[in-house]
Amino acid sequence: LGSRGFRRRVERPVPGIPVVETATLELRQRLEHGAGGGRDEQVPGDEFVARLVERAKQIKVGDTMDYDSDLGPLVPAQQRETVENYVRIGKEEGAKLVLGGGRPQGEQYERGYWFEPTIFTEVENSMTIAQEEIFGPVLAIIPYNSEADAIAIANDSQYGLAGGVWG
């Protein structure tokens, strides 16, 4: 983000996955009209989170040789254990698990190191799941109140991890 500010961006469509448009224009409009500037309205809001969770529920976990699959297994077994540990830490530190967080159930998942798409809300930037790269299908949603707040959060990482801003 830095000094470039916010830009509207549309990614190229992928077959079977809807076009994703970042909502930075909406954030700018909210900021210009005073919304999201105080503690009374954080972004992303509940509606965005609900839509994101519904979309993540549609992710098909399966064999990567199957073109209908969206998410394959982790490699190696130790990485799945690492991801499971991060999920445990996230819950212990107070983040709210709203989707996934474990191994998918079913005969097709008995072999391999599968892990469900996972989403946490109520994440604070100081939490481990926000500060360390998990290398697994885990999303930590950190609320913010203003453009300056979002930039400060994005820049507050010793690792320079990638992040996205949605409003």
Side-chain angles (χ1 to χ4, degrees):
L1 296 174
S3 62
R4 290 183 172 185
F6 289 90
R7 293 180 291 153
R8 190 170 183 194
R9 176 176 63 108
V10 176
E11 297 177 3
R12 294 189 181 274
V14 176
I17 298 176
V19 173
V20 177
E21 182 176 326
T22 60
T24 55
L25 181 62
E26 179 183 338
L27 172 62
R28 178 161 307 282
Q29 290 169 343
R30 285 176 175 225
L31 293 170
E32 288 172 356
H33 295 94
R39 288 278 165 204
D40 59 329
E41 184 179 349
Q42 290 186 325
V43 286
D46 293 340
E47 181 183 340
F48 174 85
V49 172
R51 288 192 330 247
L52 180 64
V53 168
E54 285 307 309
R55 173 59 184 99
K57 286 178 181 178
Q58 297 171 19
I59 294 173
K60 182 179 178 195
V61 179
D63 186 341
T64 54
M65 297 302 287
D66 178 356
Y67 285 106
D68 291 332
S69 293
D70 300 311
L71 180 65
L74 298 170
V75 177
Q78 294 84 355
Q79 184 56 33
R80 181 175 63 185
E81 292 168 9
T82 297
V83 173
E84 289 171 331
N85 190 47
Y86 275 112
V87 169
R88 179 188 54 77
I89 290 169
K91 291 190 285 189
E92 287 174 355
E93 291 182 347
K96 181 179 177 184
L97 182 64
V98 296
L99 182 69
R103 301 174 185 190
Q105 301 300 308
E107 188 176 319
Q108 69 271 32
Y109 304 116
E110 290 177 3
R111 291 181 44 151
Y113 310 113
W114 305 95
F115 203 80
E116 299 168 317
T118 300
I119 299 177
F120 279 102
T121 60
E122 300 179 19
V123 177
E124 295 180 17
N125 198 44
S126 61
M127 292 179 176
T128 304
I129 62 172
Q131 288 295 315
E132 296 182 13
E133 194 159 6
I134 298 173
F135 294 104
V138 179
L139 177 65
I141 299 175
I142 305 169
Y144 58 94
N145 296 303
S146 66
E147 183 175 328
D149 190 26
I151 292 169
I153 290 169
N155 289 330
D156 184 26
S157 172
Q158 65 178 338
Y159 299 110
L161 302 174
V165 177
W166 293 288

